[in-house]
Amino acid sequence: MRKDLLDLRSLSKQDIELILDTADACKEILSRPVRKVPTLRGKVLVNLFYEASTRTRMSFEMAGKCLSADVMSVSVATSSVTKGESIKDTVRTVEALGADFVVIRHSSPGVPHLIARTVRAGVINAGDGTHEHPTQGLLDAFTIRERLGSLAGRRVLIVGDILHSRVARSDIWALTKLGARVAVCGPATLLPPGLERFGVKVYTDLDEALPQAEVIQVLRVQLERQKGGLLPSLREYSRRYGINKQRLDALGQDVVLMHPGPANLGVEITEVAAEDRRSVIRDQVRNGVAVRMAVLYLLSGGDKSELAD
Ligand code: CP
């Protein structure tokens, strides 16, 4: 395993499988009455989030604590960033204070890569602009594998705002490397050109795409990244691309419904659909802890067979 986890594009199928297999062992730890092992005792993990987060930040905190690391989360809004401190300076300061891992989320693609070249600490990309969100791609692959046994040959449809979605990019890398047949569907204005080059099938008509799918990953409409003119209206989007109970019921009882969160309920997915028994949205959140434990463990030089009890 390398020093950093910056993207899934550069990981091999074997790298991804090792992380998922390690996450299985981590999930077993999380099922114990005492959800803590001493594996990362003495190590320091710092969360540095320049964009909002609930799931990723909290699950990195939990993952670090379950492995006995000391965990700190820098509140960027009240840090010296507001006095003009550069990202490189902030990260060097964090490292001088003893960080072994820096988990970073930033609105600009490539910032985690820059930081990884700046510090000796292991750097984990927690989402960089529209580029990648590797631990989300891993936990999505883990959740599908857990539900269906294997990714090989499984038909996964990613629906929505593909253009702005770092989750879609990481999902496509992870799922295609593991042998899934991935399709995407959204309005033409929210589909980046050339997607077929990544081995995915492209649809603009949801009702044509849905019957082909065993797994549906619904993406959030990223209202904060829309530059205007890409969507006619949210109501129209919801009518043409929203997942509701009626569309879900047309797919049968075995379909797996996913959403990385946070969801705009009533826009890309209705609350009734999100709470349906076919939804694994809560599993995705829970599995995020196990997958992030696995990433921290492997980046620290651990071997799956040695995960301490
Ligand atoms: N899926 C995801 O990244 O959620 P948060 O923005 O809450 O971390």
Side-chain angles (χ1 to χ4, degrees), residues 49 51-59 105 126-127 133 135-136 139-140 166-167 220 259-262 284-285 292:
F49 279 59
E51 277 192 337
S53 169
T54 303
R55 293 151 200 77
T56 311
R57 197 172 85 162
M58 282 181 63
S59 59
R105 172 173 287 189
H133 189 349
T135 55
Q136 181 72 45
L139 77 88
D140 290 336
R166 55 197 177 205
V167 174
R220 182 171 71 90
H259 191 306
Q284 288 172 274
V285 174
R292 287 168 180 130

Side-chain angles (χ1 to χ4, degrees), residues 130 158-168 185-187 189-191 206 217-243 247 258-270:
T130 58
I158 305 174
V159 179
D161 184 357
I162 313 291
L163 182 67
H164 298 102
S165 178
R166 55 197 177 205
V167 174
C185 179
T189 50
L190 294 180
L191 295 171
L206 181 61
Q217 165 87 314
V218 185
L219 299 176
R220 182 171 71 90
V221 177
Q222 301 203 23
L223 300 169
E224 74 280 19
R225 294 191 216 272
Q226 302 291 335
K227 299 220 165 39
L230 298 178
L231 286 175
S233 71
L234 291 183
R235 194 185 163 125
E236 176 68 2
Y237 180 88
S238 186
R239 191 181 67 77
R240 292 191 57 195
Y241 295 101
I243 298 294
R247 281 190 164 127
M258 305 175 71
H259 191 306
N264 297 305
L265 294 176
V267 179
E268 71 266 6
I269 189 168
T270 63

Side-chain angles (χ1 to χ4, degrees), residues 8 11-21 138 141 145 173-175 177-178:
L8 297 186
L11 263 56
S12 66
K13 179 182 181 193
Q14 289 71 27
D15 292 332
I16 295 172
E17 284 178 339
L18 174 63
I19 297 170
L20 302 193
D21 291 346
L138 292 166
R145 191 176 85 158
W173 287 120
L175 301 179
K177 282 173 198 248
L178 294 173

Side-chain angles (χ1 to χ4, degrees), residues 8 40 50 57 71 76 117 190 239 285 299 304-305:
L8 297 186
L40 294 188
Y50 288 80
R57 197 172 85 162
V71 180
V76 170
R117 290 194 295 272
L190 294 180
R239 191 181 67 77
V285 174
L299 290 182
K304 180 171 76 75
S305 61

Side-chain angles (χ1 to χ4, degrees), residues 85-231:
E85 184 176 73
S86 72
I87 296 176
K88 274 189 175 177
D89 208 10
T90 303
V91 176
R92 284 193 183 115
T93 303
V94 163
E95 185 167 62
L97 291 170
D100 298 286
F101 300 102
V102 178
V103 178
I104 184 159
R105 172 173 287 189
H106 200 279
S107 58
S108 296
V111 165
H113 301 69
L114 173 76
I115 299 307
R117 290 194 295 272
T118 307
V119 295
R120 278 191 303 277
V123 175
I124 302 171
N125 180 0
D128 59 333
T130 58
H131 174 230
E132 277 218 41
H133 189 349
T135 55
Q136 181 72 45
L138 292 166
L139 77 88
D140 290 336
F142 183 87
T143 303
I144 298 171
R145 191 176 85 158
E146 183 178 65
R147 189 49 73 110
L148 299 180
S150 160
L151 272 293
R154 295 299 188 177
R155 298 185 307 276
V156 182
L157 176 67
I158 305 174
V159 179
D161 184 357
I162 313 291
L163 182 67
H164 298 102
S165 178
R166 55 197 177 205
V167 174
R169 283 167 186 74
S170 288
D171 278 354
I172 289 169
W173 287 120
L175 301 179
T176 55
K177 282 173 198 248
L178 294 173
R181 289 156 58 192
V182 179
V184 299
C185 179
T189 50
L190 294 180
L191 295 171
L195 272 170
E196 291 87 349
R197 282 202 317 271
F198 299 97
V200 304
K201 198 165 160 67
V202 179
Y203 294 90
T204 52
D205 181 340
L206 181 61
D207 294 313
E208 183 193 347
L210 278 177
Q212 321 298 326
E214 294 170 273
V215 178
I216 307 160
Q217 165 87 314
V218 185
L219 299 176
R220 182 171 71 90
V221 177
Q222 301 203 23
L223 300 169
E224 74 280 19
R225 294 191 216 272
Q226 302 291 335
K227 299 220 165 39
L230 298 178
L231 286 175

